[in-house]
Amino acid sequence: AREICQLAELETEARVQMLDEFTENSDNLGSTEVIVSVAVLLTATEEVSGNISLTNDFLNVVDNIINVNMETLQESQESSNTSAMILEAIESVAEDIPVGN
């Protein structure tokens, strides 16, 4: 979890990309890592909005977190309401996704 916390100090692009790499193997994530990953992800929403490349990486992180085993997700939900935090982040980013014709 400490490694994930340190990502918050990086520039947004590096933060999201490193978070994507860190969460890629969801088998290694416990409830603490899920909680911290979601918190760090929330710190990037403002800068990610409107940037399609960062939005893709951002959504990959969300997908990685959602793929964590159910028991771990339940633990993180019960202690920190992570599902609401994830939805808040998605809503914030989705508002500014460019829609093509």
Side-chain angles (χ1 to χ4, degrees):
R2 187 172 297 170
E3 286 180 55
I4 301 171
C5 288
Q6 292 172 344
L7 297 179
E9 299 171 8
L10 300 175
E11 294 292 324
T12 303
E13 186 172 349
R15 183 180 337 148
V16 174
Q17 289 172 346
M18 295 288 289
L19 195 54
D20 185 17
E21 289 175 21
F22 190 86
T23 60
E24 194 170 39
N25 186 354
S26 59
D27 293 336
N28 294 334
L29 299 176
S31 62
T32 301
E33 287 81 13
V34 169
I35 293 165
V36 175
S37 294
V38 171
V40 170
L41 194 62
L42 278 172
T43 68
T45 56
E46 198 170 298
E47 292 88 1
V48 167
S49 293
N51 181 323
I52 196 66
S53 176
L54 277 179
T55 297
N56 285 332
D57 291 341
F58 180 93
L59 293 175
N60 281 339
V61 174
V62 171
D63 189 48
N64 293 343
I65 292 170
I66 290 172
N67 285 324
V68 170
N69 77 54
M70 188 60 69
E71 188 175 306
T72 301
L73 286 177
Q74 286 176 325
E75 287 175 24
S76 65
Q77 170 61 22
E78 289 170 5
S79 66
S80 296
N81 198 19
T82 50
S83 62
M85 293 167 52
I86 290 171
L87 287 174
E88 177 186 332
I90 292 170
E91 285 177 358
S92 176
V93 170
E95 288 175 356
D96 294 321
I97 292 177
V99 180
N101 293 346

